[in-house]
Structures are given as C-alpha cells and as structure tokens.
Amino acid sequence: MYTNILTVLCCPHCGARFQLTESKKEGEEIMEGKIVCKEGHVFYVHDGILDFQSQEQEIFNSWNKFDGEWFANVVLIAE
C-alpha cells in the first residue's frame, strides 16, 4: 500500500480519515503497518496489502479461542 493512498481512504465503520501509527516501509510503500481512525478503529497492512477485515477477524479469532476453551472445560467436567 502506498502512503499517498491514505489521503483518500476513509474508515468503513465511521467515515473518518486514517493515520498511520506503525509501519515498515520500502520507499513510499507501506509493507507492514497499522492505521487507526480518530474513532479508534484499527486496520493492518500485511505484505503491502491493507486488510479492512483485520479488526473483525481478531474479534472472531478471540471468540473462537474462548468458545473452544469453554467447551473443553465443559467436557472435562462432564467426564
């Protein structure tokens, strides 16, 4: 993702502009990074690609981890 694209991107949740808070660049291209809007919505850049689903995916991953741990404990109690 190139740095100049930040001037035209808006948060898909609230429409606010983004600020690059962390990055690893190669020239003008952001290879790894984190962008945040003023409302606190966070998205990540991996291998030069902006991932607009990162926040939702992390929430889903943490929920699945919790759900799996909870289920394992229920099975142990039942045995």
Side-chain angles (χ1 to χ4, degrees):
M1 182 181 106
Y2 288 93
T3 55
N4 62 353
I5 201 167
L6 285 174
T7 61
V8 296
L9 289 178
C10 295
C11 177
H13 297 292
C14 65
R17 297 285 181 199
F18 288 113
Q19 172 139 7
L20 182 64
T21 59
E22 300 173 11
S23 70
K24 175 185 165 196
K25 296 181 183 178
E26 290 182 9
E28 288 296 309
E29 188 172 4
I30 303 165
M31 297 307 295
E32 299 292 328
K34 176 177 157 181
I35 60 173
V36 182
C37 77
K38 68 179 182 177
E39 298 295 323
H41 299 115
V42 178
F43 300 93
Y44 295 94
V45 178
H46 298 291
D47 296 323
I49 300 169
L50 176 59
D51 180 6
F52 274 121
Q53 293 186 4
S54 8
Q55 196 171 39
E56 290 82 3
Q57 186 64 46
E58 288 195 19
I59 291 168
F60 180 75
N61 289 346
S62 64
W63 174 254
N64 277 345
K65 181 181 178 213
F66 169 78
D67 191 39
E69 290 171 1
W70 178 84
F71 183 74
N73 288 332
V74 168
V75 170
L76 287 174
I77 292 170
E79 291 175 345

PDB file of all heavy atoms in Angstrom, residues 16-44:
ATOM      1  N   ALA A  16     -14.271   8.288   9.066  1.00  0.00           N
ATOM      2  CA  ALA A  16     -13.164   9.179   9.455  1.00  0.00           C
ATOM      3  C   ALA A  16     -11.907   8.842   8.662  1.00  0.00           C
ATOM      4  O   ALA A  16     -11.750   7.748   8.139  1.00  0.00           O
ATOM      5  CB  ALA A  16     -12.890   9.039  10.947  1.00  0.00           C
ATOM      6  N   ARG A  17     -10.999   9.807   8.587  1.00  0.00           N
ATOM      7  CA  ARG A  17      -9.715   9.608   7.922  1.00  0.00           C
ATOM      8  C   ARG A  17      -8.791   8.778   8.801  1.00  0.00           C
ATOM      9  O   ARG A  17      -8.961   8.709  10.013  1.00  0.00           O
ATOM     10  CB  ARG A  17      -9.049  10.951   7.614  1.00  0.00           C
ATOM     11  CG  ARG A  17      -9.837  11.803   6.658  1.00  0.00           C
ATOM     12  CD  ARG A  17      -9.699  11.266   5.270  1.00  0.00           C
ATOM     13  NE  ARG A  17     -10.447  12.114   4.347  1.00  0.00           N
ATOM     14  CZ  ARG A  17     -10.808  11.727   3.164  1.00  0.00           C
ATOM     15  NH1 ARG A  17     -10.508  10.537   2.747  1.00  0.00           N
ATOM     16  NH2 ARG A  17     -11.479  12.531   2.376  1.00  0.00           N
ATOM     17  N   PHE A  18      -7.782   8.190   8.166  1.00  0.00           N
ATOM     18  CA  PHE A  18      -6.835   7.339   8.870  1.00  0.00           C
ATOM     19  C   PHE A  18      -5.525   8.056   9.157  1.00  0.00           C
ATOM     20  O   PHE A  18      -5.127   8.964   8.437  1.00  0.00           O
ATOM     21  CB  PHE A  18      -6.504   6.096   8.035  1.00  0.00           C
ATOM     22  CG  PHE A  18      -7.615   5.104   7.963  1.00  0.00           C
ATOM     23  CD1 PHE A  18      -8.264   4.854   6.772  1.00  0.00           C
ATOM     24  CD2 PHE A  18      -8.000   4.393   9.091  1.00  0.00           C
ATOM     25  CE1 PHE A  18      -9.278   3.921   6.696  1.00  0.00           C
ATOM     26  CE2 PHE A  18      -9.017   3.459   9.035  1.00  0.00           C
ATOM     27  CZ  PHE A  18      -9.651   3.218   7.827  1.00  0.00           C
ATOM     28  N   GLN A  19      -4.853   7.557  10.190  1.00  0.00           N
ATOM     29  CA  GLN A  19      -3.496   7.980  10.489  1.00  0.00           C
ATOM     30  C   GLN A  19      -2.644   6.716  10.599  1.00  0.00           C
ATOM     31  O   GLN A  19      -3.053   5.744  11.241  1.00  0.00           O
ATOM     32  CB  GLN A  19      -3.444   8.747  11.799  1.00  0.00           C
ATOM     33  CG  GLN A  19      -2.040   9.037  12.246  1.00  0.00           C
ATOM     34  CD  GLN A  19      -1.904  10.419  12.794  1.00  0.00           C
ATOM     35  OE1 GLN A  19      -2.888  11.132  12.960  1.00  0.00           O
ATOM     36  NE2 GLN A  19      -0.693  10.806  13.078  1.00  0.00           N
ATOM     37  N   LEU A  20      -1.483   6.752   9.974  1.00  0.00           N
ATOM     38  CA  LEU A  20      -0.553   5.632  10.062  1.00  0.00           C
ATOM     39  C   LEU A  20       0.161   5.723  11.406  1.00  0.00           C
ATOM     40  O   LEU A  20       0.778   6.731  11.726  1.00  0.00           O
ATOM     41  CB  LEU A  20       0.448   5.721   8.914  1.00  0.00           C
ATOM     42  CG  LEU A  20       1.485   4.617   8.800  1.00  0.00           C
ATOM     43  CD1 LEU A  20       0.810   3.277   8.520  1.00  0.00           C
ATOM     44  CD2 LEU A  20       2.470   4.947   7.689  1.00  0.00           C
ATOM     45  N   THR A  21       0.046   4.685  12.235  1.00  0.00           N
ATOM     46  CA  THR A  21       0.647   4.736  13.566  1.00  0.00           C
ATOM     47  C   THR A  21       1.897   3.873  13.682  1.00  0.00           C
ATOM     48  O   THR A  21       2.739   4.142  14.525  1.00  0.00           O
ATOM     49  CB  THR A  21      -0.357   4.316  14.655  1.00  0.00           C
ATOM     50  OG1 THR A  21      -0.801   2.995  14.392  1.00  0.00           O
ATOM     51  CG2 THR A  21      -1.537   5.260  14.685  1.00  0.00           C
ATOM     52  N   GLU A  22       2.004   2.848  12.897  1.00  0.00           N
ATOM     53  CA  GLU A  22       3.182   1.982  12.894  1.00  0.00           C
ATOM     54  C   GLU A  22       3.424   1.558  11.458  1.00  0.00           C
ATOM     55  O   GLU A  22       2.471   1.327  10.727  1.00  0.00           O
ATOM     56  CB  GLU A  22       2.953   0.723  13.723  1.00  0.00           C
ATOM     57  CG  GLU A  22       2.633   0.953  15.165  1.00  0.00           C
ATOM     58  CD  GLU A  22       2.246  -0.354  15.871  1.00  0.00           C
ATOM     59  OE1 GLU A  22       2.430  -1.434  15.298  1.00  0.00           O
ATOM     60  OE2 GLU A  22       1.755  -0.252  16.996  1.00  0.00           O
ATOM     61  N   SER A  23       4.697   1.458  11.083  1.00  0.00           N
ATOM     62  CA  SER A  23       4.925   0.993   9.722  1.00  0.00           C
ATOM     63  C   SER A  23       6.348   0.517   9.484  1.00  0.00           C
ATOM     64  O   SER A  23       7.280   0.916  10.169  1.00  0.00           O
ATOM     65  CB  SER A  23       4.604   2.095   8.713  1.00  0.00           C
ATOM     66  OG  SER A  23       5.568   3.127   8.789  1.00  0.00           O
ATOM     67  N   LYS A  24       6.459  -0.352   8.507  1.00  0.00           N
ATOM     68  CA  LYS A  24       7.724  -0.771   7.931  1.00  0.00           C
ATOM     69  C   LYS A  24       7.582  -0.461   6.449  1.00  0.00           C
ATOM     70  O   LYS A  24       6.687  -0.998   5.786  1.00  0.00           O
ATOM     71  CB  LYS A  24       7.947  -2.261   8.151  1.00  0.00           C
ATOM     72  CG  LYS A  24       9.194  -2.789   7.482  1.00  0.00           C
ATOM     73  CD  LYS A  24       9.282  -4.305   7.639  1.00  0.00           C
ATOM     74  CE  LYS A  24      10.305  -4.844   6.668  1.00  0.00           C
ATOM     75  NZ  LYS A  24      10.166  -6.284   6.517  1.00  0.00           N
ATOM     76  N   LYS A  25       8.398   0.455   5.953  1.00  0.00           N
ATOM     77  CA  LYS A  25       8.259   0.906   4.574  1.00  0.00           C
ATOM     78  C   LYS A  25       9.422   0.454   3.709  1.00  0.00           C
ATOM     79  O   LYS A  25      10.523   0.231   4.199  1.00  0.00           O
ATOM     80  CB  LYS A  25       8.201   2.433   4.527  1.00  0.00           C
ATOM     81  CG  LYS A  25       7.009   3.043   5.211  1.00  0.00           C
ATOM     82  CD  LYS A  25       7.063   4.558   5.080  1.00  0.00           C
ATOM     83  CE  LYS A  25       5.931   5.219   5.816  1.00  0.00           C
ATOM     84  NZ  LYS A  25       6.018   6.679   5.725  1.00  0.00           N
ATOM     85  N   GLU A  26       9.136   0.348   2.442  1.00  0.00           N
ATOM     86  CA  GLU A  26      10.143   0.189   1.398  1.00  0.00           C
ATOM     87  C   GLU A  26       9.898   1.318   0.421  1.00  0.00           C
ATOM     88  O   GLU A  26       8.976   1.256  -0.392  1.00  0.00           O
ATOM     89  CB  GLU A  26      10.023  -1.168   0.708  1.00  0.00           C
ATOM     90  CG  GLU A  26      10.432  -2.331   1.587  1.00  0.00           C
ATOM     91  CD  GLU A  26      10.343  -3.674   0.877  1.00  0.00           C
ATOM     92  OE1 GLU A  26      10.119  -3.702  -0.364  1.00  0.00           O
ATOM     93  OE2 GLU A  26      10.486  -4.697   1.563  1.00  0.00           O
ATOM     94  N   GLY A  27      10.668   2.390   0.552  1.00  0.00           N
ATOM     95  CA  GLY A  27      10.436   3.591  -0.244  1.00  0.00           C
ATOM     96  C   GLY A  27       9.140   4.238   0.207  1.00  0.00           C
ATOM     97  O   GLY A  27       8.950   4.519   1.387  1.00  0.00           O
ATOM     98  N   GLU A  28       8.213   4.453  -0.729  1.00  0.00           N
ATOM     99  CA  GLU A  28       6.909   5.048  -0.401  1.00  0.00           C
ATOM    100  C   GLU A  28       5.835   3.996  -0.124  1.00  0.00           C
ATOM    101  O   GLU A  28       4.697   4.329   0.127  1.00  0.00           O
ATOM    102  CB  GLU A  28       6.441   5.958  -1.545  1.00  0.00           C
ATOM    103  CG  GLU A  28       7.225   7.246  -1.652  1.00  0.00           C
ATOM    104  CD  GLU A  28       7.029   8.117  -0.410  1.00  0.00           C
ATOM    105  OE1 GLU A  28       5.882   8.355  -0.014  1.00  0.00           O
ATOM    106  OE2 GLU A  28       8.054   8.545   0.154  1.00  0.00           O
ATOM    107  N   GLU A  29       6.216   2.731  -0.192  1.00  0.00           N
ATOM    108  CA  GLU A  29       5.237   1.663   0.016  1.00  0.00           C
ATOM    109  C   GLU A  29       5.288   1.162   1.459  1.00  0.00           C
ATOM    110  O   GLU A  29       6.350   0.850   1.988  1.00  0.00           O
ATOM    111  CB  GLU A  29       5.489   0.503  -0.940  1.00  0.00           C
ATOM    112  CG  GLU A  29       4.395  -0.527  -0.895  1.00  0.00           C
ATOM    113  CD  GLU A  29       4.529  -1.603  -1.970  1.00  0.00           C
ATOM    114  OE1 GLU A  29       5.522  -1.602  -2.708  1.00  0.00           O
ATOM    115  OE2 GLU A  29       3.619  -2.429  -2.057  1.00  0.00           O
ATOM    116  N   ILE A  30       4.119   1.088   2.075  1.00  0.00           N
ATOM    117  CA  ILE A  30       3.990   0.543   3.423  1.00  0.00           C
ATOM    118  C   ILE A  30       3.870  -0.967   3.281  1.00  0.00           C
ATOM    119  O   ILE A  30       2.905  -1.470   2.710  1.00  0.00           O
ATOM    120  CB  ILE A  30       2.744   1.103   4.138  1.00  0.00           C
ATOM    121  CG1 ILE A  30       2.797   2.621   4.191  1.00  0.00           C
ATOM    122  CG2 ILE A  30       2.612   0.502   5.533  1.00  0.00           C
ATOM    123  CD1 ILE A  30       1.464   3.267   4.535  1.00  0.00           C
ATOM    124  N   MET A  31       4.852  -1.689   3.805  1.00  0.00           N
ATOM    125  CA  MET A  31       4.839  -3.143   3.697  1.00  0.00           C
ATOM    126  C   MET A  31       4.130  -3.791   4.885  1.00  0.00           C
ATOM    127  O   MET A  31       3.402  -4.758   4.736  1.00  0.00           O
ATOM    128  CB  MET A  31       6.266  -3.681   3.581  1.00  0.00           C
ATOM    129  CG  MET A  31       6.982  -3.197   2.329  1.00  0.00           C
ATOM    130  SD  MET A  31       6.058  -3.519   0.810  1.00  0.00           S
ATOM    131  CE  MET A  31       6.050  -5.293   0.758  1.00  0.00           C
ATOM    132  N   GLU A  32       4.368  -3.269   6.064  1.00  0.00           N
ATOM    133  CA  GLU A  32       3.714  -3.731   7.287  1.00  0.00           C
ATOM    134  C   GLU A  32       3.310  -2.489   8.061  1.00  0.00           C
ATOM    135  O   GLU A  32       4.079  -1.532   8.124  1.00  0.00           O
ATOM    136  CB  GLU A  32       4.660  -4.577   8.154  1.00  0.00           C
ATOM    137  CG  GLU A  32       5.174  -5.833   7.486  1.00  0.00           C
ATOM    138  CD  GLU A  32       4.110  -6.878   7.255  1.00  0.00           C
ATOM    139  OE1 GLU A  32       3.161  -6.972   8.070  1.00  0.00           O
ATOM    140  OE2 GLU A  32       4.201  -7.604   6.250  1.00  0.00           O
ATOM    141  N   GLY A  33       2.130  -2.476   8.636  1.00  0.00           N
ATOM    142  CA  GLY A  33       1.738  -1.291   9.375  1.00  0.00           C
ATOM    143  C   GLY A  33       0.388  -1.400  10.026  1.00  0.00           C
ATOM    144  O   GLY A  33      -0.294  -2.423   9.936  1.00  0.00           O
ATOM    145  N   LYS A  34       0.038  -0.310  10.667  1.00  0.00           N
ATOM    146  CA  LYS A  34      -1.225  -0.222  11.391  1.00  0.00           C
ATOM    147  C   LYS A  34      -1.786   1.169  11.137  1.00  0.00           C
ATOM    148  O   LYS A  34      -1.079   2.164  11.294  1.00  0.00           O
ATOM    149  CB  LYS A  34      -0.943  -0.441  12.871  1.00  0.00           C
ATOM    150  CG  LYS A  34      -2.112  -0.290  13.789  1.00  0.00           C
ATOM    151  CD  LYS A  34      -1.636  -0.624  15.202  1.00  0.00           C
ATOM    152  CE  LYS A  34      -2.494   0.001  16.255  1.00  0.00           C
ATOM    153  NZ  LYS A  34      -2.010  -0.301  17.608  1.00  0.00           N
ATOM    154  N   ILE A  35      -3.047   1.241  10.719  1.00  0.00           N
ATOM    155  CA  ILE A  35      -3.702   2.533  10.551  1.00  0.00           C
ATOM    156  C   ILE A  35      -4.893   2.593  11.509  1.00  0.00           C
ATOM    157  O   ILE A  35      -5.542   1.590  11.781  1.00  0.00           O
ATOM    158  CB  ILE A  35      -4.142   2.801   9.090  1.00  0.00           C
ATOM    159  CG1 ILE A  35      -5.127   1.757   8.588  1.00  0.00           C
ATOM    160  CG2 ILE A  35      -2.937   2.886   8.166  1.00  0.00           C
ATOM    161  CD1 ILE A  35      -5.704   2.077   7.228  1.00  0.00           C
ATOM    162  N   VAL A  36      -5.132   3.788  12.020  1.00  0.00           N
ATOM    163  CA  VAL A  36      -6.182   3.993  13.014  1.00  0.00           C
ATOM    164  C   VAL A  36      -6.961   5.244  12.638  1.00  0.00           C
ATOM    165  O   VAL A  36      -6.377   6.257  12.262  1.00  0.00           O
ATOM    166  CB  VAL A  36      -5.576   4.173  14.426  1.00  0.00           C
ATOM    167  CG1 VAL A  36      -6.656   4.341  15.469  1.00  0.00           C
ATOM    168  CG2 VAL A  36      -4.670   3.017  14.781  1.00  0.00           C
ATOM    169  N   CYS A  37      -8.293   5.186  12.770  1.00  0.00           N
ATOM    170  CA  CYS A  37      -9.102   6.377  12.553  1.00  0.00           C
ATOM    171  C   CYS A  37      -9.272   7.099  13.886  1.00  0.00           C
ATOM    172  O   CYS A  37      -8.921   6.560  14.942  1.00  0.00           O
ATOM    173  CB  CYS A  37     -10.454   6.025  11.933  1.00  0.00           C
ATOM    174  SG  CYS A  37     -11.639   5.329  13.093  1.00  0.00           S
ATOM    175  N   LYS A  38      -9.845   8.309  13.851  1.00  0.00           N
ATOM    176  CA  LYS A  38      -9.982   9.084  15.087  1.00  0.00           C
ATOM    177  C   LYS A  38     -10.960   8.457  16.079  1.00  0.00           C
ATOM    178  O   LYS A  38     -10.938   8.767  17.255  1.00  0.00           O
ATOM    179  CB  LYS A  38     -10.388  10.522  14.775  1.00  0.00           C
ATOM    180  CG  LYS A  38     -11.783  10.673  14.222  1.00  0.00           C
ATOM    181  CD  LYS A  38     -12.116  12.123  13.965  1.00  0.00           C
ATOM    182  CE  LYS A  38     -13.534  12.250  13.460  1.00  0.00           C
ATOM    183  NZ  LYS A  38     -13.905  13.642  13.281  1.00  0.00           N
ATOM    184  N   GLU A  39     -11.798   7.529  15.600  1.00  0.00           N
ATOM    185  CA  GLU A  39     -12.722   6.816  16.484  1.00  0.00           C
ATOM    186  C   GLU A  39     -12.103   5.556  17.084  1.00  0.00           C
ATOM    187  O   GLU A  39     -12.741   4.854  17.850  1.00  0.00           O
ATOM    188  CB  GLU A  39     -14.006   6.458  15.723  1.00  0.00           C
ATOM    189  CG  GLU A  39     -14.784   7.659  15.231  1.00  0.00           C
ATOM    190  CD  GLU A  39     -15.332   8.516  16.363  1.00  0.00           C
ATOM    191  OE1 GLU A  39     -15.750   7.947  17.391  1.00  0.00           O
ATOM    192  OE2 GLU A  39     -15.327   9.745  16.216  1.00  0.00           O
ATOM    193  N   GLY A  40     -10.863   5.249  16.678  1.00  0.00           N
ATOM    194  CA  GLY A  40     -10.162   4.115  17.256  1.00  0.00           C
ATOM    195  C   GLY A  40     -10.288   2.803  16.503  1.00  0.00           C
ATOM    196  O   GLY A  40      -9.834   1.768  16.986  1.00  0.00           O
ATOM    197  N   HIS A  41     -10.889   2.813  15.326  1.00  0.00           N
ATOM    198  CA  HIS A  41     -10.970   1.588  14.526  1.00  0.00           C
ATOM    199  C   HIS A  41      -9.586   1.312  13.938  1.00  0.00           C
ATOM    200  O   HIS A  41      -8.969   2.188  13.355  1.00  0.00           O
ATOM    201  CB  HIS A  41     -12.014   1.728  13.415  1.00  0.00           C
ATOM    202  CG  HIS A  41     -13.380   1.984  13.949  1.00  0.00           C
ATOM    203  ND1 HIS A  41     -14.054   3.160  13.723  1.00  0.00           N
ATOM    204  CD2 HIS A  41     -14.187   1.220  14.720  1.00  0.00           C
ATOM    205  CE1 HIS A  41     -15.238   3.100  14.328  1.00  0.00           C
ATOM    206  NE2 HIS A  41     -15.337   1.927  14.941  1.00  0.00           N
ATOM    207  N   VAL A  42      -9.113   0.091  14.110  1.00  0.00           N
ATOM    208  CA  VAL A  42      -7.748  -0.278  13.739  1.00  0.00           C
ATOM    209  C   VAL A  42      -7.759  -1.276  12.585  1.00  0.00           C
ATOM    210  O   VAL A  42      -8.551  -2.213  12.578  1.00  0.00           O
ATOM    211  CB  VAL A  42      -7.027  -0.926  14.945  1.00  0.00           C
ATOM    212  CG1 VAL A  42      -5.622  -1.363  14.570  1.00  0.00           C
ATOM    213  CG2 VAL A  42      -7.002   0.019  16.124  1.00  0.00           C
ATOM    214  N   PHE A  43      -6.863  -1.046  11.628  1.00  0.00           N
ATOM    215  CA  PHE A  43      -6.695  -1.951  10.496  1.00  0.00           C
ATOM    216  C   PHE A  43      -5.208  -2.120  10.239  1.00  0.00           C
ATOM    217  O   PHE A  43      -4.415  -1.255  10.578  1.00  0.00           O
ATOM    218  CB  PHE A  43      -7.408  -1.410   9.251  1.00  0.00           C
ATOM    219  CG  PHE A  43      -8.875  -1.235   9.480  1.00  0.00           C
ATOM    220  CD1 PHE A  43      -9.377  -0.014   9.894  1.00  0.00           C
ATOM    221  CD2 PHE A  43      -9.747  -2.293   9.322  1.00  0.00           C
ATOM    222  CE1 PHE A  43     -10.728   0.152  10.142  1.00  0.00           C
ATOM    223  CE2 PHE A  43     -11.103  -2.139   9.573  1.00  0.00           C
ATOM    224  CZ  PHE A  43     -11.591  -0.913   9.975  1.00  0.00           C
ATOM    225  N   TYR A  44      -4.841  -3.233   9.639  1.00  0.00           N
ATOM    226  CA  TYR A  44      -3.435  -3.568   9.460  1.00  0.00           C
ATOM    227  C   TYR A  44      -3.064  -3.710   7.993  1.00  0.00           C
ATOM    228  O   TYR A  44      -3.903  -4.048   7.154  1.00  0.00           O
ATOM    229  CB  TYR A  44      -3.116  -4.879  10.192  1.00  0.00           C
ATOM    230  CG  TYR A  44      -3.282  -4.738  11.682  1.00  0.00           C
ATOM    231  CD1 TYR A  44      -4.476  -5.083  12.296  1.00  0.00           C
ATOM    232  CD2 TYR A  44      -2.259  -4.233  12.467  1.00  0.00           C
ATOM    233  CE1 TYR A  44      -4.655  -4.929  13.664  1.00  0.00           C
ATOM    234  CE2 TYR A  44      -2.419  -4.076  13.832  1.00  0.00           C
ATOM    235  CZ  TYR A  44      -3.618  -4.425  14.428  1.00  0.00           C
ATOM    236  OH  TYR A  44      -3.780  -4.261  15.781  1.00  0.00           O
TER     237      TYR A  44
END
